[in-house]
Amino acid sequence: MPKRKKASRRAKVHWSRLLGALVVANVAAGLAFSPATAATKVTVVGARPNDKALVDRAAQGLRGVPCLRVNAHALEERILSNPAVARASLARNLFGRARIELVYEKPVALVEGADEVVFVASGKAVRWPDPDAHLPKVRLPEGTQDMLGTFAG
């Protein structure tokens, strides 16, 4: 008796699942690569006027870059290169808005004999334009004034 050929069984294609996966992939690619999600308006909160140039240079990295491709950590690190800034954060959305928020160190003492240098709560010596004259004054030991410029940035 001759062997009977088995009917080949084709796998059933789940079109709805395939279509759903393709839609999700298309939306993800659109968010990652579309200039429509790039920041068009950047709001800066908490920046001092003399730090505006630093923040503007850092914010240039947001313009024209799709929302999901912005490296928020690198932007925050660029702003934190200013030793007077304690915290920097970037919030953004898909609709072209970004918000950069800065929080500064708290000055606790003026350094006597050094222009615009203060000690902040974290213990660092920082250049601080127009420091509050009511802060307590600290006199540094002889010979350390020259090194202060190195530490105060």
Side-chain angles (χ1 to χ4, degrees):
M1 175 162 165
K3 286 191 172 179
R4 222 174 178 191
K5 284 186 177 181
K6 288 185 180 178
S8 64
R9 198 163 184 199
R10 295 177 94 193
K12 185 177 178 183
V13 177
H14 296 282
W15 291 106
S16 61
R17 289 183 187 166
L18 180 62
L19 183 61
L22 288 174
V23 166
V24 168
N26 189 27
V27 168
L31 291 175
F33 298 107
S34 173
T37 63
T40 56
K41 181 172 184 189
V42 178
T43 306
V44 178
V45 178
R48 297 185 312 204
N50 60 324
D51 290 335
K52 183 150 177 49
L54 171 74
V55 176
D56 285 344
R57 277 194 311 273
Q60 288 303 318
L62 294 174
R63 294 188 188 356
V65 179
C67 179
L68 295 182
R69 299 193 60 162
V70 169
N71 187 346
H73 182 70
L75 182 130
E76 291 165 358
E77 287 298 317
R78 248 179 282 149
I79 294 172
L80 288 172
S81 67
N82 179 348
V85 178
R87 223 175 39 245
S89 63
L90 169 67
R92 61 199 183 279
N93 65 25
L94 298 175
F95 306 110
R97 304 269 191 248
R99 176 184 166 107
I100 300 172
E101 188 170 344
L102 279 71
V103 176
Y104 286 91
E105 295 277 1
K106 183 177 189 308
V108 293
L110 287 169
V111 176
E112 225 175 67
D115 281 344
E116 299 183 338
V117 176
V118 298
F119 280 112
V120 293
S122 64
K124 297 185 285 189
V126 174
R127 291 213 181 279
W128 198 277
D130 301 323
D132 185 7
H134 293 58
L135 288 172
K137 292 180 177 46
V138 175
R139 181 175 300 170
L140 297 178
E142 292 296 319
T144 58
Q145 291 279 341
D146 297 336
M147 295 187 324
L148 190 60
T150 305
F151 298 114

